[in-house]
Amino acid sequence: MNEILGATNWLGIQWHPMKVVGWLGNLLFFSRFLIQWIASERAKRVVVPIAFWYCSLLGSLLLLAYALYKRDSVFIFAYVFTWIPYGRNLYFAYRDRTKSHPKRAPHPELPPDS
């Protein structure tokens, strides 16, 4: 089975494409903490940048894919619902951005958008 998935042994670890997916999920999920920490340090107050929510969403989805591959019910349950608040926060951020930056009025010398 490992030959079919393209598994290789490196540093005593069996690597295959789904393990790479799992590690990418871990790296994205971890990076969100660094992103939030750096943004807060720069602002000298608590800040949750949009990149935090993207890393949360993508990282949790990759970890869910890996958990489904492993068929580990504990791991699956840990990530099966996390995309909901992450996606919702991205929706709110997008909605708020479009409200605070309405489309500009067309330039008087340019033809209107079609």
Side-chain angles (χ1 to χ4, degrees), residues 12-30:
I13 300 170
Q14 279 290 94
W15 289 91
H16 51 80
M18 285 307 294
K19 188 165 278 190
V20 173
V21 167
W23 275 108
L24 285 174
N26 266 329
L27 288 171
L28 275 170
F29 209 69
F30 173 75

Side-chain angles (χ1 to χ4, degrees), residues 35-55:
I35 288 166
Q36 194 272 328
W37 181 19
I38 291 167
S40 293
E41 287 292 331
R42 286 182 178 165
K44 302 293 185 214
R45 63 183 177 84
V46 176
V47 175
V48 183
I50 194 86
F52 175 91
W53 299 114
Y54 279 112
C55 287

Side-chain angles (χ1 to χ4, degrees), residues 85-107:
Y86 304 148
R88 190 78 172 142
N89 283 322
L90 285 168
Y91 165 76
F92 289 143
Y94 175 76
R95 185 193 65 189
D96 293 346
R97 186 170 35 151
T98 57
K99 281 183 180 178
S100 64
H101 300 296
K103 292 183 179 178
R104 292 187 231 168
H107 192 279

